[in-house]
Amino acid sequence: MSATTFPLRAEWAKFTTLRSLWTTPLLAVALSAGITAVVQFSYGKTDTSLTEDPMEGVFYGLNFGQVAVVCLGILLVGQEYASGTLATSLAAVPDRVRFFRGKLLLGAGLGLAVGVLSVAGQLAATEASVGLDLSAPGTARALAAGMLYHPLLLVLCLSLTTVLRNQTAALGLLSPMVFLGTTALSAIPGVRDVAQFLPDRAGLYAMRLHDAPDVHYGHTTGLLLAAAWTALAVAAGLRTLRRRDA
Amino acid sequence: MIEIRDLTKAYGERRVVDGLTFRVAAGRVTGFLGPNGAGKSTTLRMALGLDRPTSGTALVDGLPYARLTEPLRRVGALLDAQAVHGGRTAAGHLSWIAASHRLPARRVDEVLALVGLSDAAGRRIRTFSLGMRQRLGIAAALLGDPAALLLDEPVNGLDAEGIRWIRTLLRRLADEGRAVLVSSHLMAEMARTADHLVVIGRGRLLADTSTADFLAENGRRRVRVRAVDPAGLAALLAEAHPEAVPLGDGAWDVPDADPGELGALAASRRVVLIELSVTHDSLEEAFMRMTADAVEYRAVTA
């Protein structure tokens, strides 16, 4: 075992030395908090789609901020394939389990930081504009789900990029899937029954306060569903990394 | 020391590396030669654990690369100088590699100074020339002060000054007791730099020999001879050296001849020579002769 290499340190150093990497989580927080603030201050008190389920208003910005989270997950692995630094990375940390663990730890850590900060920002913007009853049933759960959704989504994208071994392919597959595909699929009545089990649909449902009649699972189960997808992707990523030539 | 034992890499039916065995000993520069597509890079990638061998092993100090505890202290490698992220600075690129082994930050400055890139430390790599990228790649290979170095075509893209610099550097690294393997497709360059040569073609070992022996065997001796009476010389050569080739100006090229014997023979026949000189085949020719059957891609002469 190559126990004396420091994969997480290497990953952190890679992250901090590349501007396109370290600006992305900042962008995610700024987009989520900023857009929620703009929307809540402008329409928070008038638009019924925002007041019906208060979390709809709180997490309005998240729909945009998650674009940056997906990009970060793809970039953390994809830029190594795109630039060819993967060979150097694996020469430095040849144990691929340890290497991938370093990527996952950094991805999960960054995701959680983005989650906490962007939920805090969206919450603050909501409190300052329309106000929010924090004691209402389900609110704590919805906010926690909002925070956890970020690391799950980020690690999912990071792992799928490892499976695809190609940054462009990952961007091409994941961005439309998360931002167009599943939303569009959910609009088709027959397909909706299936599409609601996709990771982003399930994760976003966990952030809602009220039950939706046509969703076949509960809010907490939604978060677990998203976690299961992520776990599956991690396993697939590790399998690819261990089996394929770098 | 690096030991390649019966190493084979096959993609389907195609064997890119085919039963290769050789060792890279400490204290000398080993030139790893072969035409493009001979399997040099694939061999190096297997030695670094990046590609999995179909069969055989590549060992570093008796262990597969993946099982080394601090790999960068054992082996420093430069595979592809272009495989860097252009958005990082030179120092940034080296700092993440250093972080993987907790090497001190001053080590980054040291290797940058060693390769002459101190002034460019804060510049983004995308502004670097190929020559500067080669230097950066060598700096990265030297970060862990490794006992062995594997450099894939490090001379590519370097100017004359750069080539002289790397020649001196490789010499010094070997003199410090390190095992140095340098791949190249340039025979002449390797003959000047390497102590030992490993030549491969189509993934197979063609030669594993000291540079001196290689030169003695393959730098074939030829004698150039010219006489006052061309007809007399022609008659003499037709008899004694039928393989001799006329060069046009009355001179003849006699392969594998001994100049002393040829001179004595001419004297005994009263053929007056006005020129008798020894030349050696260029190494490039020797290399091409050796790898002639093993060249993968060749232009067809119509």
Side-chain angles (χ1 to χ4, degrees):
Chain A
M1 290 300 290
S2 49
T4 39
T5 56
F6 300 88
L8 183 57
R9 280 170 180 270
E11 291 308 321
W12 176 253
K14 282 178 208 174
F15 172 71
T16 51
T17 51
L18 197 55
R19 190 165 53 197
S20 59
L21 286 182
W22 61 257
T23 50
T24 312
L26 302 177
L27 184 69
V29 175
L31 277 173
S32 291
I35 291 175
T36 290
V38 169
V39 168
Q40 293 285 43
F41 278 104
S42 316
Y43 311 105
K45 287 184 175 131
T46 51
D47 191 325
T48 50
S49 73
L50 296 178
T51 48
E52 210 171 288
D53 188 331
M55 287 303 154
E56 199 78 45
V58 173
F59 290 132
Y60 197 90
L62 188 144
N63 294 308
F64 301 88
Q66 67 170 348
V67 181
V69 173
V70 169
C71 288
L72 180 59
I74 293 170
L75 284 173
L76 284 176
V77 167
Q79 54 93 10
E80 297 237 31
Y81 284 101
S83 65
T85 53
L86 187 73
T88 309
S89 291
L90 288 177
V93 184
D95 184 331
R96 297 190 183 184
V97 179
R98 282 174 62 81
F99 168 74
F100 197 47
R101 197 191 303 152
K103 288 266 183 222
L104 292 174
L105 281 173
L106 180 72
L110 289 174
L112 193 61
V114 169
V116 169
L117 290 174
S118 64
V119 168
Q122 293 175 101
L123 192 59
T126 305
E127 292 274 24
S129 50
V130 296
L132 184 72
D133 179 11
L134 285 172
S135 60
T139 304
R141 182 259 307 149
L143 292 175
M147 292 178 193
L148 293 174
Y149 175 71
H150 291 81
L152 290 176
L153 181 66
L154 199 156
V155 170
L156 175 81
C157 293
L158 184 156
S159 301
L160 287 178
T161 308
T162 310
V163 174
L164 293 168
R165 298 155 37 93
N166 184 314
Q167 179 165 271
T168 323
L171 280 166
L173 181 78
L174 291 173
S175 10
M177 200 185 90
V178 175
F179 311 117
L180 294 169
T182 65
T183 315
L185 289 177
S186 307
I188 309 167
V191 182
R192 178 168 21 195
D193 282 341
V194 183
Q196 60 175 268
F197 290 101
L198 289 170
D200 60 323
R201 291 290 106 195
L204 292 171
Y205 183 62
M207 297 174 222
R208 297 288 164 262
L209 215 50
H210 304 315
D211 293 336
D214 53 353
V215 174
H216 301 310
Y217 48 81
H219 295 288
T220 311
T221 315
L223 191 65
L224 293 175
L225 258 174
W229 278 107
T230 299
L232 202 64
V234 167
L238 188 59
R239 185 186 142 97
T240 305
L241 205 52
R242 291 181 77 174
R243 291 197 164 195
R244 301 289 295 266
D245 286 342
Chain B
M1 193 191 63
I2 293 166
E3 199 171 0
I4 307 294
R5 246 189 250 158
D6 209 21
L7 199 63
T8 298
K9 179 73 179 181
Y11 295 104
E13 290 289 289
R14 226 169 73 87
R15 288 178 166 229
V16 180
V17 176
D18 194 354
L20 204 54
T21 299
F22 66 91
R23 47 176 65 190
V24 187
R28 68 185 188 195
V29 178
T30 302
F32 191 30
L33 278 157
N36 289 329
K40 301 185 297 288
S41 298
T42 309
T43 303
L44 297 182
R45 291 179 60 83
M46 287 192 282
L48 292 168
L50 296 172
D51 288 0
R52 189 174 303 184
T54 306
S55 64
T57 49
L59 302 177
V60 179
D61 301 331
L63 284 175
Y65 186 89
R67 290 186 45 206
L68 298 175
T69 43
E70 289 179 296
L72 297 189
R73 292 187 195 274
R74 302 290 194 93
V75 183
L78 165 62
L79 287 186
D80 177 2
Q82 303 282 26
V84 285
H85 199 295
R88 286 199 180 90
T89 63
H93 175 67
L94 295 175
S95 70
W96 73 256
I97 303 172
S100 73
H101 278 53
R102 279 185 107 158
L103 300 171
R106 70 175 153 72
R107 188 66 197 145
V108 169
D109 301 331
E110 281 171 15
V111 292
L112 279 170
L114 195 66
V115 302
L117 284 179
S118 292
D119 292 341
R123 260 173 65 187
R124 283 184 204 285
I125 301 170
R126 73 166 64 94
T127 66
F128 280 22
S129 66
L130 177 56
M132 291 172 81
R133 287 170 195 234
Q134 290 284 17
R135 286 170 184 263
L136 180 62
I138 289 166
L142 292 172
L143 258 181
D145 196 17
L149 283 149
L150 301 181
L151 308 175
D152 199 4
E153 304 263 2
V155 183
N156 270 5
L158 291 181
D159 53 16
E161 194 276 328
I163 292 173
R164 202 173 51 213
W165 167 76
I166 201 163
R167 215 180 273 153
T168 318
L169 177 71
L170 294 176
R171 182 77 270 142
R172 205 182 75 213
L173 293 168
D175 289 346
E176 289 167 2
R178 297 174 217 263
V180 182
L181 183 73
V182 191
S183 87
S184 177
H185 62 275
L186 301 171
M187 181 70 224
E189 175 54 35
M190 277 301 100
R192 296 188 65 168
T193 313
D195 310 300
H196 195 86
L197 296 174
V198 171
V199 185
I200 67 168
R202 290 210 174 179
R204 293 193 185 176
L205 188 70
L206 298 177
D208 182 353
T209 164
S210 76
T211 308
D213 287 350
F214 185 87
L215 294 184
E217 277 169 37
N218 291 289
R220 203 153 45 143
R221 187 170 61 180
R222 324 180 75 91
V223 173
R224 181 184 155 94
V225 61
R226 202 150 62 97
V228 177
D229 170 22
L233 178 63
L236 179 149
L237 288 174
E239 191 186 308
H241 288 282
E243 74 281 12
V245 184
L247 293 173
D249 55 348
W252 291 75
D253 174 48
V254 192
D256 294 322
D258 180 89
E261 279 173 21
L262 197 58
L265 183 67
S268 71
R269 301 289 182 88
R270 296 184 182 279
V271 174
V272 181
L273 299 183
I274 47 174
E275 188 180 341
L276 180 69
S277 59
V278 179
T279 56
H280 287 273
D281 269 357
S282 85
L283 285 169
E284 223 57 63
E285 277 170 28
F287 178 53
M288 280 168 71
R289 213 166 40 229
M290 173 177 270
T291 57
D293 304 327
V295 174
E296 181 132 12
Y297 308 105
R298 187 174 11 207
V300 177
T301 7

